[in-house]
C-alpha cells in the first residue's frame, strides 16, 4: 500500500502532465482484474474512478488534472527564479518546491508557500469537495473523509516530495512485484523500474569492493535515500541513521546507508582517515535562505524598474522640474519627495508605502535615534522604511532612467534616489549573479596553459611507449624507424615545451595594478618552472636511451659499411645518422635554456614559507645529463665526426657547466652539502670533458 | 602508523579535489598544521598558487580563482569565514574544517551564503601538529590556550582543544580508542578522559572504519582487526615528571629545540650574530634533510662524531670549492663548539661570568620564584610515582649498583619515568593494586577486559597534559624495544606459535616544551 502511494505521487517534476497521466493509467490497469483490463479506464471520468476511493491519492490527481489543469494549462508561465523552466501554475509550484524552496516540512509551511500563488486553496477545496461527493456515491464513505484525514493525506504527499527530492520515483514493474510486497507488508522492499533507474537489479552489494550476494530478501538492504542496494552488512548502522535524522530532520524512521550519512572513507586500506561532508544539510538550509533573499531581491528589482520608468516619464513631462534639481546636485533630488504635491512623491509612494514618521524613533539599521537636525529621517525609496542618512545605513542610488519601451531619455540618464543598505545589497545580489565568467586575460592564458600541459603529458607518454618498444626490438630497421618516430615526437615535445614556457612567461609578464595578481602570476610561472624541471628530467633520461640506441644503430651500420667497404654508401649512412642524432643536442640545448631560466628565477622568489625539495631532483638530472654527455663523448671516439657536431657538443657541455654551477649555488644556499659535493664532482668531470674535446679539436 | 602521512593525505585530497587555479585560505593554527606536513612546491604543483590568511581582510577580489578554506572550527575563524561569505572574493568556496562541527555552524554559514558560492563543506580530521611520524603536539601556548583554570583544573577552551586534537589523531590514523588510562592523582587527566569518551560516543559513527568495508571474508578470519587498530590512550600529567623538561635535552633535535627553538619545523637563527641572510631561518625536515633524518636521535657525543665525519667527508670532496662552502659549514659547527665549551669543562668560567652580571640579585629573585612555581606545580606532595627512583629500597639499590658504570652515556642518564609505566602497561605487568598507578576509563569501544585489550597488536598513544619534550619522543623507542625483547623471549619456547606483537607508540602533548617555555608557561599560570 505504502509503496503504491509513493509511486503515484512521486512524479518527477520534469515529466510532463501527459506522462503522469499515462502512469496513472498503467496503475489503474494493473489494479483491475483481467476482465476490466480489456477496457482501459479513463482516469478523468469520476464514475470509473470511484471504486478506488480507498486509494484517494490517485483521485486527487485525476480530479486535479480535470478541474484545475484545464484552468491553468492555458497560462504557460516562466519560473520566476531560474527562468529556465516553463509550465503551468501547478507545474511551476512543484518545480519551485523541488528545486528552489527545498521541501516544505509540514502542511502549514506548505500552505504559506502557496498563499502567494493562491491556486492551492482553491485546489484543496475542489479536491476535498470532490472526494466527499465521490465517497458518498460509493459506500457512504463521505463521512469518514474528514478534513483531518485529508490533511494527513496531503502530509504524506509532502513527505513524498521530500523523498523524491534526491531520488527518482518508483513505479511498479507489474502484478508480481506488487503481490510480493503485499505479502510482506512490513518489509522495505522495492522493485525498481524507471527511466532513471537501471532495469537490472544489482546482484551484489553496491558497496565499493563488496561481493556479497543481495538477490535474496534476507540479505538485502535498500537505502531509502539513495535507492542503492547493499547487503545487510554494509547497508547501514544505527549511528549513521541517527546522525542522518539529526542533520536532515527527516521524519521517516528508516535507516539509511553509510554513504548517505555523509561519512566517507575514501581510502579504506591505506593511510588516511575518514572525512565527513555536510554539504547536503548546508545546501538544504541555504536554498531556503536564498529563496527568501532572492524573492526579496526580485521584489526590489521590480520596484526599481517601476521607479525608473516613472522618473523617466516625469522627466519627459516636466523637463524644467528636473533641471532645477540638477543645480542642487544629486543629494537634493532625493529630498524632492517631501514636497507633498510633487509628482515624484506620488510616484514613490505608489511604488512602496512609506513608513510613517511617528512609527520609527530610530534608524532600523543602526538603532540611532532620529532628531530633526543632526540625524534626520530618510525614507528608503525601495522598501519604504525609515533610515538615517549615514553612509553605512543608506546612500543615494543612481537609478538608470528608461521608458516603457526600453528607450532612454535624452538629457538625463540617471536619477539619484535614496536607498537603504539592505536594499542596495539585495540589488547587488542580483547583479552579481548576472555577471558572466570573468573576461580577465589570465583566464584564457591559464586555460591555454593547462591544455598544453595535457598535450605534453600525452606526448611524453607516447614517447615513453616508443622508447620502451625501441628497447625491446632487435631488428635494426625497426629500430631506426622507431627512432625516427620518437625523434619526431621529441620535436613536437620540444615545441610544446617551449610554448608552455612561453605562455607561462607571458602570464608572469602580465601587468596588473593589484599586488595579489602579480603574486598569482609569479607563482604560476614558478609552478610551471617546477613542472618543466620534472619533465626535463624525464626527457633527459629518454634522450639518453635514444642516444644509446642511436649509438647501437650507428655501430651496426658502421660494421656493415666496413664489411662492404663502400665508401660512398658510408657517407650516406653517416649523414643519415647525423640526421637522427641532430635533434637530440637541439632539445638538450633547449632544456638547458629552460632550466637555466628556472634556476635563475627560482632564487628570486622567496621560498621561506615552505621548504623546497628541488635540489635533489636537480642532482639526479645532472647525473643523467653527465652520463649522457659521456655517451656523447663515446660517440666521438667511435669514428670520424663532423667538426660541427663536435663544436655543438662543446657548446652543450658548456651550457651544462653553467647549469651545474647554478645548482651548486642553489644547493649550498639550502645547505644541501652532499648534493653540492656530488654536483662539484660532476662539474669537474664536465671540465675535463670540455678540455679534452677542445684539445681534440 | 605515520602521523605525518595522515596529515599529508588530507592536504593532498584537499588540493586535488578542487581543480583549477585556486587560493588556499588558512587560519593561524592550520597554517602551522599545514606547513609541518607540506611544501610550497607541492601546493604549486597542485595549482594552488596563493596562500593567505582567512582573517586578512585586505585580500583583493579575484573572481578567476577558486578558494579552499581550511580552518579549525573556532569561533574567530568561523566569524572570519562568515565575513568572507558576505562579500565573496573568489568564484567558488570549498570549506574544510579540521574537526567536527556543530549543526549550528552549518546553519550560520548557510544563512550567510547569499551568493551561493560554497560548493563543499567537509570535515578533514587534521587537527594536530605532526612533528615526527610518531610525535605530535597540539601547539597550545600560554597565550592562545592557557591550560589551567586553577590547580589541576582545566581551562574549558584548552580542554576542548585537547579533546578535538586527540579525536582527530584517532580518526586520521584510523585508530579505535579502546581504553583510556589516566593517572590516579591527576584530576585533569580524569576530566580529559571523561570528556574525550563523551565526544567519541557522540561521533562514534566516524570510528567504524572497517566494519563496513568490502572485504568481509578476509575480515572474518582476522577477527578483531576488521574494526580498526586498537588504541590505548595513556594520559599523563606533566606534574608527575617536572624534571624531564628541565634537564638538558641531549639529542640533536632536542638540543636545537632547547637552544634555538623549533617552530613548525623552522628554526629561527636571526638572534645569532654573524649570520648570513639566507640562514636566518632554516628548515629542519625529516623528509628533505638526510643528515637530520639520520642523526635526529643521536646524543651529543655521537652527534659530535657524526658531524666531524660529515665535515671531513665534505672537505675531502670539495677541495676545489672548499674555500667558500666549508666556511659556511664551519659557521654552524662553531656554534655547536661554542655550546660544547660552555659545558662542564668551563663551569668556573660561567661562575666568573655570573659574578659580573649586573642585576644578579634580580635574577636570583627570579630563580626563587621559579623554584616556588615548580614546587607548586610538581612538588613531592602533588606527585605520584617514583620520579627519582628512590622511593623503595629496591630501586635505590638498583641505582647504587648501576652507579655510573652501567650508563651508556652520561648525557642521557636521566630516563623519564613514563617509559617504565607504559612498558609495564603494555606487558600487563602490574602485579599489585598499589603498583598500578594508571586508572582505567573504559570507552564505548571497550567490550573486553583490560588484559584482552592490551593483548595482541596495539597502538599506545601517550599524551602529556602540560607539554611534551623531544626526550620523551626519544624514549618512546625504548618502550617498543623493551616490549619487543620481552615478547620474543616469551614466545620462543612456545612451540610453533609466533606471538610477536605489533606494538607502536605515539607520543604527544599539549605543546612542545623546552626548559624556557616550560618555566614560562608555569610562571604565567601560577603567577600571572
Amino acid at each position: 500500500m505504502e509503496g503504491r502511494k509513493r509511486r503515484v505521487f512521486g512524479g518527477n517534476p520534469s515529466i510532463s502532465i501527459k506522462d503522469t497521466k499515462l502512469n496513472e493509467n498503467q496503475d489503474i490497469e494493473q489494479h483491475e482484474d483481467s476482465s476490466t483490463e480489456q477496457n482501459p479506464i479513463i482516469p478523468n471520468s469520476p464514475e470509473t474512478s470511484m471504486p478506488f476511493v480507498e486509494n484517494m491519492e490517485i483521485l486527487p490527481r485525476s480530479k486535479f488534472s480535470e478541474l484545475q489543469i484545464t484552468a491553468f494549462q492555458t497560462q504557460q508561465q516562466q519560473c520566476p527564479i531560474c527562468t529556465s523552466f516553463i509550465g503551468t501554475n501547478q507545474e511551476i509550484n512543484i518545480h519551485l518546491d523541488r528545486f528552489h524552496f527545498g521541501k516544505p516540512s509540514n502542511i502549514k509551511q506548505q500552505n504559506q508557500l502557496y498563499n502567494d500563488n493562491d491556486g492551492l486553496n482553491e485546489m484543496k477545496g475542489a479536491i476535498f469537495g470532490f472526494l466527499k461527493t465521490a465517497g458518498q456515491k460509493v459506500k457512504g464513505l463521505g463521512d469518514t473523509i474528514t478534513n483531518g484525514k485529508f490533511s494527513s493525506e496531503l502530509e504524506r504527499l509532502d513527505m513524498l516530495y521530500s523523498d523524491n527530492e534526491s531520488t527518482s520515483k518508483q513505479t511498479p514493474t507489474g502484478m508480481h512485484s506488487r503481490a510480493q510486497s503485499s505479502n510482506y507488508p512490513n518489509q522495505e522492499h522495492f522493485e525498481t523500474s524507471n527511466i532513471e533507474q537501471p532495469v537490472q537489479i544489482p546482484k551484489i552489494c553496491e558497496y565499493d569492493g563488496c561481493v556479497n550476494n543481495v538477490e535474496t530478501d534476507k540479505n538485502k538492504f535498500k537505502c531509502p535515500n539513495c535507492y542503492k542496494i547493499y547487503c545487510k552488512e554494509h547497508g547501514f548502522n544505527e549511528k549513521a541513521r541517527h546522525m542522518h535524522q539529526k542533520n536532515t530532520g527527516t521524519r521517516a524512521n528508516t535507516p539509511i546507508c553509510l554513504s548517505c550519512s555523509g561519512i566517507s572513507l575514501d581510502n579504506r586500506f591505506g593511510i588516511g582517515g575518514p572525512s565527513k561532508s555536510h554539504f547536503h544539510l548546508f545546501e538544504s538550509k541555504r536554498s531556503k535562505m536564498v529563496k527568501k533573499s532572492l524573492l526579496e531581491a526580485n521584489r526590489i528589482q521590480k520596484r526599481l524598474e517601476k521607479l525608473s520608468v516613472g522618473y523617466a516619464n516625469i522627466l519627459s513631462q516636466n523637463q524644467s522640474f528636473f533641471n532645477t534639481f540638477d543645480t542642487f546636485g544629486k543629494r537634493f533630488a532625493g529630498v524632492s519627495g517631501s514636497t507633498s504635491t510633487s509628482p515624484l512623491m506620488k510616484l514613490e509612494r505608489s511604488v512602496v508605502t512609506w513608513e510613517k514618521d511617528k512609527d520609527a524613533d530610530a534608524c532600523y539599521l543602526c538603532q540611532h535615534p532620529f532628531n530633526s537636525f543632526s540625524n534626520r529621517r530618510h525614507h528608503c525609496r525601495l522598501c519604504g522604511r525609515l533610515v538615517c542618512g549615514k553612509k553605512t545605513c543608506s546612500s543615494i542610488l543612481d537609478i538608470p532612467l528608461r521608458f516603457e519601451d526600453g528607450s532612454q531619455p535624452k538629457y538625463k540618464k540617471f536619477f539619484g534616489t535614496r536607498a537603504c543598505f539592505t536594499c542596495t545589497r539585495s540589488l547587488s545580489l542580483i547583479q552579481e549573479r548576472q555577471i558572466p565568467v570573468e573576461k580577465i586575460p589570465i583566464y584564457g592564458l591559464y586555460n591555454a596553459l593547462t591544455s598544453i600541459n595535457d598535450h605534453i603529458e600525452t606526448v611524453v607518454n607516447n614517447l615513453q611507449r616508443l622508447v620502451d618498444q625501441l628497447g625491446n626490438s632487435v631488428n635494426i630497421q625497426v629500430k631506426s624507424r622507431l627512432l625516427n618516430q620518437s625523434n619526431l615526437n621529441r620535436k613536437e615535445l620540444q615545441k610544446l615545451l617551449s610554448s608552455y614556457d612561453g605562455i607561462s612567461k607571458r602570464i608572469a609578464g602580465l601587468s596588473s595594478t593589484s599586488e595579489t595578481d602579480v603574486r598569482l602570476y609569479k607563482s604560476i610561472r614558478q609552478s610551471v618552472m617546477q613542472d618543466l624541471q620534472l619533465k626535463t628530467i624525464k626527457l633527459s633520461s629518454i634522450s639518453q636511451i635514444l642516444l644509446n640506441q642511436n649509438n647501437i644503430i650507428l655501430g651496426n651500420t658502421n660494421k656493415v659499411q666496413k664489411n662492404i667497404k663502400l665508401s660512398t654508401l658510408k657517407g650516406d649512412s653517416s649523414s643519415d645518422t647525423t640526421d637522427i642524432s641532430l635533434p637530440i643536442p637541439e632539445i638538450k640545448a633547449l632544456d638547458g635554456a629552460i632550466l637555466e631560466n628556472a634556476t635563475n628565477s627560482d632564487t628570486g622568489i622567496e621560498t621561506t614559507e615552505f621548504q623546497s625539495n628541488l635540489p635533489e631532483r636537480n642532482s639526479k638530472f645532472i647525473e643523467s645529463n653527465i652520463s649522457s654527455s659521456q655517451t656523447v663523448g663515446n660517440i666521438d671516439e667511435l669514428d670520424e665526426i663532423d667538426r660541427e657536431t663536435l663544436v655543438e657538443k662543446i657548446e652543450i657541455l658548456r651550457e651544462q657547466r653553467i647549469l651545474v654551477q647554478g645548482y651548486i649555488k642553489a644547493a649550498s644556499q639550502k645547505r644541501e652539502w652532499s648534493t653540492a659535493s656530488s654536483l662539484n664532482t660532476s662539474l669537474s668531470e664536465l671540465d675535463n670533458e670540455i678540455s679534452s674535446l677542445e684539445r681534440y679539436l | 602508523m605515520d602521523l605525518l602521512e595522515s596529515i599529508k593525505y588530507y592536504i593532498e585530497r584537499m588540493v586535488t579535489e578542487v581543480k583549477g587555479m585556486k587560493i588556499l585560505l588558512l587560519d593561524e593554527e592550520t597554517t602551522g598544521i599545514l606547513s609541518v606536513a607540506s611544501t610550497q612546491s607541492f601546493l604549486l604543483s597542485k595549482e594552488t598558487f596563493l596562500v593567505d590568511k582567512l582573517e586578512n581582510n585586505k585580500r583583493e577580489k579575484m573572481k578567476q580563482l577558486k578558494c579552499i578554506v581550511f580552518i579549525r572550527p573556532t569561533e574567530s575563524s568561523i566569524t572570519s569565514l562568515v565575513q568572507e561569505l558576505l562579500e565573496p572574493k573568489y568564484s567558488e568556496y570549498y570549506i574544510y574544517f579540521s574537526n567536527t562541527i556543530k549543526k549550528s555552524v552549518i546553519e550560520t554559514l548557510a544563512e550567510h551564503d547569499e551568493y551561493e558560492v560554497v560548493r563543499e563543506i567537509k570535515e578533514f580530521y587534521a587537527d594536530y601538529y605532526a612533528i615526527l611520524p610518531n610525535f605530535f603536539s597540539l601547539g597550545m601556548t600560554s597565550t592562545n590556550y592557557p591550560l589551567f583554570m586553577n590547580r589541576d583544573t582545566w581551562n574549558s577552551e584548552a580542554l576542548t582543544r585537547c579533546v578535538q586534537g586527540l579525536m582527530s589523531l584517532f580518526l586520521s590514523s584510523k585508530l579505535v580508542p579502546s581504553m583510556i588510562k589516566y593517572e590516579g592523582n591527576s584530576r585533569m587527566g580524569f576530566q580529559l578522559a571523561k570528556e574525550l569518551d563523551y565526544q567519541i560516543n557522540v561521533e562514534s559513527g566516524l570510528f567504524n572504519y572497517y566494519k563496513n568495508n568490502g572485504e568481509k571474508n578476509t575480515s572474518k578470519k582476522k577477527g578483531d582487526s576488521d574494526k580498526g587498530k586498537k588504541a590505548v590512550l595513556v594520559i599523563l600529567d606533566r606534574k608527575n615528571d617536572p624534571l624531564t623538561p628541565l634537564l638538558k635535552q641531549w639529542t640533536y633535535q632536542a638540543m636545537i629545540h632547547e637552544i634555538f627553538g623549533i617552530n613548525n619545523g623552522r628554526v629561527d637563527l636571526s638572534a645569532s650574530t654573524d649570520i648570513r641572510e639566507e640562514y636566518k631561518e632554516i628548515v629542519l625536515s625529516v623528509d628533505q634533510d638526510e643528515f637530520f633524518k639520520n642523526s635526529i636521535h643521536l646524543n651529543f657525543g655521537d652527534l659530535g662524531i657524526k658531524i666531524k665525519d660529515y665535515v671531513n667527508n665534505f672537505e675531502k670532496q670539495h677541495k676545489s670549492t672548499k674555500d667558500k662552502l666549508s666556511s659556511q659549514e664551519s659557521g654552524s659547527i662553531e656554534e655547536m663548539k661554542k655550546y660544547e665549551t660552555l659545558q662542564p669543562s668551563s663551569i668556573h668560567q660561567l661562575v666568573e661570568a655570573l659574578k659580573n652580571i649586573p642585576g644578579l640579585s634580580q635574577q636570583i629573585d627570579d630563580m626563587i620564584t621559579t623554584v616556588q612555581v615548580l614546587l607548586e606545580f610538581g612538588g613531592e606532595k602533588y606527585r605520584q610515582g617514583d620520579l627519582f627512583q628512590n622511593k623503595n629500597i629496591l630501586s635505590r639499590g638498583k641505582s647504587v649498583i648501576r652507579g655510573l658504570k652501567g650508563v651508556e652515556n652520561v648525557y642521557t642518564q636521566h630516563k623519564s619515568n613514563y617509559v617504565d609505566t607504559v612498558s609495564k602497561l603494555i606487558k600487563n605487568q602490574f602485579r599489585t593494586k598499589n603498583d598500578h598507578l594508571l586508572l582505567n576509563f573504559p570507552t564505548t569501544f571497550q567490550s573486553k577486559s583490560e588484559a584482552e585489550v592490551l593483548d595482541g597488536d596495539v597502538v599506545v598513544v601517550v599524551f602529556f597534559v602540560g607539554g611534551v619534550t623531544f626526550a620523551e619522543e626519544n624514549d618512546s623507542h625504548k618502550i617498543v624495544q623493551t616490549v619487543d625483547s620481552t615478547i620474543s623471549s616469551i614466545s620462543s619456547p612456545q612451540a610453533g606459535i609466533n606471538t610477536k606483537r605489533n606494538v607502536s607508540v605515539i607520543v604527544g602533548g599539549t605543546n612542545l616544551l623546552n626548559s624556557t617555555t616550560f618555566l614560562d608557561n608555569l610562571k604565567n599560570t601560577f603567577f600571572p
Side-chain angles (χ1 to χ4, degrees), chain B residues 221-465:
Chain B
K221 283 174 204 162
K222 280 178 191 167
D224 270 354
S225 64
D226 64 325
K227 282 172 185 160
K229 284 180 202 153
K230 279 185 299 186
V232 176
L233 174 67
V234 181
I235 301 170
L236 298 176
D237 200 322
R238 186 82 271 166
K239 74 173 181 186
N240 285 327
D241 177 16
L243 200 60
T244 313
L246 292 176
L247 292 171
K248 282 282 179 221
Q249 315 280 311
W250 290 107
T251 54
Y252 183 36
Q253 193 179 24
M255 272 195 286
I256 296 171
H257 185 54
E258 179 68 35
I259 300 162
F260 303 111
I262 301 176
N263 189 14
N264 295 339
R266 293 197 293 272
V267 183
D268 184 16
L269 295 178
S270 56
S272 349
T273 48
D274 300 338
I275 195 147
R276 283 172 39 170
E277 198 57 43
E278 58 261 44
Y279 300 131
K280 286 252 162 99
E281 190 176 69
I282 55 170
V283 172
L284 286 178
S285 156
V286 191
D287 282 351
Q288 284 144 41
D289 194 333
E290 195 67 22
F291 180 78
F292 182 63
K293 189 183 177 183
N294 292 335
S295 44
I296 192 165
H297 290 132
L298 289 182
N299 65 49
F300 185 59
D302 295 340
L303 183 69
I305 298 166
K306 184 117 182 177
I307 290 180
K308 200 179 161 231
D309 286 351
Y310 189 68
V311 175
N312 283 347
N313 238 338
F314 183 78
E315 280 178 348
K316 252 185 241 163
Q317 285 180 354
H318 295 268
K319 271 175 188 161
S320 53
T321 51
K322 192 176 127 194
D323 46 352
K324 201 177 170 188
L325 293 173
S326 62
S327 68
Q328 291 160 11
E329 176 71 355
S330 59
S332 54
I333 300 297
E334 262 164 32
E335 271 167 50
M336 278 295 175
K337 279 179 185 163
K338 265 184 213 163
Y339 179 62
E340 195 175 9
T341 51
L342 213 72
Q343 292 317 303
S345 64
S346 55
I347 274 184
H348 65 280
Q349 286 174 9
L350 199 70
V351 176
E352 286 295 311
L354 269 177
K355 280 179 189 166
N356 298 329
I357 294 172
L360 184 66
S361 60
Q362 174 62 39
Q363 290 200 345
I364 288 173
D365 276 356
D366 270 3
M367 279 179 200
I368 292 168
T369 340
T370 310
V371 172
Q372 276 177 351
V373 166
L374 265 179
L375 287 175
E376 190 77 359
F377 175 67
E380 183 149 22
K381 60 175 169 177
Y382 303 119
R383 279 202 314 266
Q384 71 172 13
D386 194 3
L387 179 59
F388 295 100
Q389 294 173 351
N390 57 2
K391 280 229 169 129
N392 56 42
I393 299 166
L394 196 69
S395 56
R396 262 188 211 174
K398 259 189 203 165
S399 53
V400 168
I401 293 164
R402 199 171 46 192
L404 273 180
K405 274 184 185 171
V407 179
E408 288 173 23
N409 192 311
V410 275
Y411 295 120
T412 54
Q413 191 179 2
H414 173 74
K415 186 171 139 194
S416 38
N417 63 339
Y418 94 98
V419 173
D420 213 37
T421 321
V422 173
S423 39
K424 265 188 183 171
L425 172 75
I426 299 171
K427 288 184 265 179
N428 213 1
Q429 279 180 347
F430 288 115
R431 287 189 204 95
T432 60
K433 275 252 160 130
N434 271 346
D435 205 15
H436 209 306
L437 299 169
L438 295 173
L439 300 186
N440 184 24
F441 197 104
T443 72
T444 330
F445 296 103
Q446 184 183 346
S447 49
K448 295 166 200 155
S449 73
E450 279 181 47
E452 273 177 289
V453 170
L454 287 165
D455 192 42
D457 296 354
V458 69
V459 177
V460 181
V461 180
V462 184
F463 183 74
F464 283 88
V465 173

